[in-house]
Amino acid sequence: MKNRSMVVSLIGRPNVGKSSLFNRLMQKQHKAITHDQPGVTRDRHYGITTIEDLQDVDAADIILVDTGGFYPERIDERGRNSEEENANKFFNIMTDHARMAIGESDLVLFVVDVREGALPFDNTIADYIRTTKKPFLVVANKYDSDKQAGEEIDFYSLGIDSDELFTTSATHGRGVTFLREKIQRLASEFSNGALKSMPEISKGVTPREEVVSKIALIGAPNAGKSTLLNLLVGAQRALVSDIAGTTVDPIEGFFDLYFGKEAKILEEDQGFSSNDGLLFKQYEEFRRNNADVYQQMVDSYAIEEDSDKNVGMEHFEVDYELTTLVTEELDQQRSESFDKNYDQVFNEESEESSEEEITLSTESSETVEKKEDDNHWRSIHIIDTAGIRRQKTVNGFIESQSVYRSLRSITESDVVIVMIDATNGIGHQDRRLIDISLEKGKSVIVALNKMDLMREQLPDEAAKREWLNNLRRDIPWLDFCDIITISAKHNKGMKKLKEALKKTILVRSRNIPTGELNRFVFDLVERNPVIAKSQGAKRFKVKYTSMIKSGPPTFLMFTNKSQGIPEHYRRYLVNSIRSGFKLYNTPVHLIFRTGNDLAKRMKKSKMAMMLND
């Protein structure tokens, strides 16, 4: 059995360049936010990198841990004002996290500032590391030029040998290669030594199974995102406090979900028609295998294209009777959606997750699934982002960088969990974050945290319905998003949240059979027709529909009118397709092209195939 990777942590006083060195060793310039202000790094940041600088030594995979500023002794949290008191609280919490990092490490890189020399705090930190019996190297950082030669000698007072002291300039890259080579040698020795188990605190740092989805936790400051991340990964990965703005850098982790036999869906090539050749093949198969519905669609389309049938219709924007039918169906869809949300939020049979259940969920594939031949567990990559405030309240470079990275995390994710503090309700920024997520095609799940604190304010059904109506009025997207009530602090609601995540991830990997899709769309249009006015009014008809993407579900519709389709009718099509095929928690995109465009594409693809033959 192969040994696990060596864990290497960076420890030191605030503002000695630990994050810059972390970025250098990771060979990523902006993995962690760096700034000359103390206390920028707060949580422990993990990175996995391969060091292969030496040719005569095996390449080494290491887990690198960046920490916040470390004071071995807790400091007095009292301050002259609330800002200073909060800063002192942060430093004490960061001290606890640094202790955790040292405890889980196989090697400690003790980073100091060569310009300041060995300070009393440095001696205290060195003494503390020795009490843990962890091997450590002293890295004298900010050694920017040869003019500083000799300044590093002061650090021999820490009681180290010459081969345990390295001079580096993380900013300019000086000396980093020698440090990497030393780490590679030590990691090789570690790998060839006795087998060692992964420290408990390192749960969630690396995936145990194939990663099938990336999730971003977003929301206002102090909504409970970090608590939820720690709960899901089964370890104290993110720093938690009651101070808004605790998280600065996005914190990453992994946890496992059980998909059962549906796990195979996540591995299948769905064969979406990403080019005209595939579209032609899919269309021909649809014609052969669904001759009845194909003929019905062609006949209906052809009748509407007969200009004689449309004489006098050019003065109508919409047909009142037909519009009423669609409006009634939309109202019914909204009513059903309200009932679903009400049941999700106020169902009295709310799940009470015990610590035993949470423990079982973190054991995942290492224990539960070993009895089966096929492994039905998959790993999920989750990112806890910094709370995002309104732009005019963003304060300084560090917070602006934090917001930028949070928004980038949304872009890079598949699913977004929007954490909302139920006691504060949904604010403007929550609405904007959901809007951004949906605009970027991300699936959205709303997690209402601290809902247990709302019981006194919502004593009866009337109050509950009014509260939910106000919530849905503020966020119309809740028509199709699950609302999961949780208490991250008390481990409640995790089972429902994981079920919502599972079905949402499966939706983003699902391909709807072409025949089934076209039968459904044809029925929608025939049951509730509408007049589309653009260069002459005609009843809207669909000649062929193809699913071209699943994340998010995107459908290419070839119609007799690609413009002038009433907005309410577009909503009717989107909502009906979503509910008909159970496309949970995700935006559905429709792209309209004319039937003539379909004919041109088919002709072009057929000619290309003939030339290839």
Side-chain angles (χ1 to χ4, degrees), residues 109 152 256 295 331 342 381 404 453 475 495 540 591:
L109 300 183
E152 73 278 9
D256 296 342
Q295 195 57 50
D331 290 339
Y342 186 90
H381 187 181
Y404 164 74
L453 302 179
I475 306 184
K495 184 177 179 180
F540 176 76
I591 300 172

Side-chain angles (χ1 to χ4, degrees), residues 489-501:
K489 184 176 181 179
H490 300 294
N491 297 359
K492 295 179 181 178
M494 294 303 104
K495 184 177 179 180
K496 290 188 290 185
L497 179 60
K498 289 182 178 181
E499 283 298 317
L501 282 171

Side-chain angles (χ1 to χ4, degrees), residues 256-532:
D256 296 342
L257 275 184
Y258 182 74
F259 285 88
K261 294 182 179 180
E262 291 178 301
K264 294 181 179 179
I265 297 174
L266 303 172
E267 301 171 1
E268 295 173 356
D269 181 4
Q270 301 299 334
F272 292 112
S273 41
S274 56
N275 57 57
D276 288 346
L278 288 174
L279 184 66
F280 175 78
K281 181 179 178 182
Q282 187 185 64
Y283 182 69
E284 288 300 308
E285 289 177 353
F286 167 65
R287 289 178 57 186
R288 288 195 305 269
N289 300 332
N290 303 271
D292 55 340
V293 68
Y294 170 75
Q295 195 57 50
Q296 286 178 321
M297 294 178 75
V298 168
D299 291 344
S300 176
Y301 185 90
I303 290 172
E304 199 59 35
E305 285 299 283
D306 186 348
S307 59
D308 292 338
K309 300 290 184 181
N310 298 297
V311 173
M313 293 182 64
E314 55 269 16
H315 300 294
F316 296 96
E317 285 204 29
V318 294
D319 184 294
Y320 177 77
E321 183 179 353
L322 300 181
T323 301
T324 301
L325 292 173
V326 173
T327 302
E328 289 174 355
E329 187 127 358
L330 285 171
D331 290 339
Q332 182 179 348
Q333 291 170 351
R334 279 191 289 268
S335 176
E336 292 172 353
S337 172
F338 180 90
D339 292 340
K340 180 200 73 171
N341 287 156
Y342 186 90
D343 184 61
Q344 289 175 333
V345 177
F346 298 113
N347 189 343
E348 293 302 323
E349 297 179 3
S350 58
E351 160 235 357
E352 301 286 331
S353 297
S354 64
E355 289 188 8
E356 181 180 355
E357 178 196 340
I358 299 301
T359 302
L360 179 64
S361 71
T362 58
E363 288 176 357
S364 67
S365 55
E366 288 191 346
T367 54
V368 180
E369 193 60 23
K370 296 301 181 184
K371 298 179 181 179
E372 299 189 18
D373 293 334
D374 295 327
N375 187 355
H376 296 151
W377 291 88
R378 296 293 181 269
S379 289
I380 310 300
H381 187 181
I382 186 168
I383 301 177
D384 171 26
T385 65
I388 301 176
R389 302 190 293 172
R390 299 184 70 166
Q391 186 172 1
K392 65 181 181 181
T393 60
V394 172
N395 184 21
F397 170 81
I398 296 170
E399 187 173 0
S400 64
Q401 280 294 301
S402 178
V403 170
Y404 164 74
R405 291 180 182 220
S406 295
L407 294 175
R408 188 175 67 182
S409 296
I410 295 175
T411 301
E412 295 173 351
S413 68
D414 304 306
V415 181
V416 172
I417 298 177
V418 182
M419 288 284 289
I420 295 174
D421 185 336
T423 60
N424 294 331
I426 293 180
H428 169 81
Q429 198 65 1
D430 294 315
R431 293 194 296 270
R432 182 62 187 137
L433 290 173
I434 295 176
D435 194 20
I436 290 172
S437 301
L438 294 175
E439 284 176 359
K440 293 181 177 296
K442 311 305 175 183
S443 298
V444 171
I445 298 171
V446 175
L448 272 181
N449 196 23
K450 309 177 187 178
M451 193 63 194
D452 51 324
L453 302 179
M454 295 291 291
R455 291 174 182 170
E456 293 184 4
Q457 300 180 36
L458 305 173
D460 52 35
E461 183 175 350
K464 292 175 181 177
R465 286 187 170 273
E466 181 181 2
W467 183 86
L468 184 58
N469 264 320
N470 292 336
L471 190 73
R472 286 165 56 90
R473 185 185 63 243
D474 290 338
I475 306 184
W477 312 281
L478 292 182
D479 280 354
F480 61 86
C481 292
D482 281 341
I483 307 177
I484 308 298
T485 57
I486 68 169
S487 175
K489 184 176 181 179
H490 300 294
N491 297 359
K492 295 179 181 178
M494 294 303 104
K495 184 177 179 180
K496 290 188 290 185
L497 179 60
K498 289 182 178 181
E499 283 298 317
L501 282 171
K502 172 187 168 182
K503 69 181 184 181
T504 305
I505 292 168
L506 287 170
V507 161
R508 295 183 70 90
S509 298
R510 180 186 175 193
N511 189 4
I512 301 171
T514 306
E516 183 181 353
L517 174 62
N518 278 273
R519 288 176 187 274
F520 187 84
V521 171
F522 177 69
D523 180 66
L524 284 182
V525 175
E526 291 300 301
R527 187 171 71 242
N528 289 314
V530 73
I531 304 299

Side-chain angles (χ1 to χ4, degrees), residues 233-253:
V233 302
Q236 292 296 312
R237 284 285 291 106
L239 185 153
V240 176
S241 80
D242 57 1
I243 306 170
T246 299
T247 302
V248 176
D249 266 324
I251 306 301
E252 302 182 45

Side-chain angles (χ1 to χ4, degrees), residues 204-255:
V205 174
T206 57
R208 289 187 286 212
E209 306 295 339
E210 179 187 354
V211 178
V212 295
S213 186
K214 193 169 187 178
I215 296 170
L217 277 173
I218 65 172
N222 212 25
K225 301 183 294 297
S226 296
T227 304
L228 179 59
L229 175 90
N230 291 341
L231 193 59
L232 288 172
V233 302
Q236 292 296 312
R237 284 285 291 106
L239 185 153
V240 176
S241 80
D242 57 1
I243 306 170
T246 299
T247 302
V248 176
D249 266 324
I251 306 301
E252 302 182 45
F254 297 89
F255 68 97

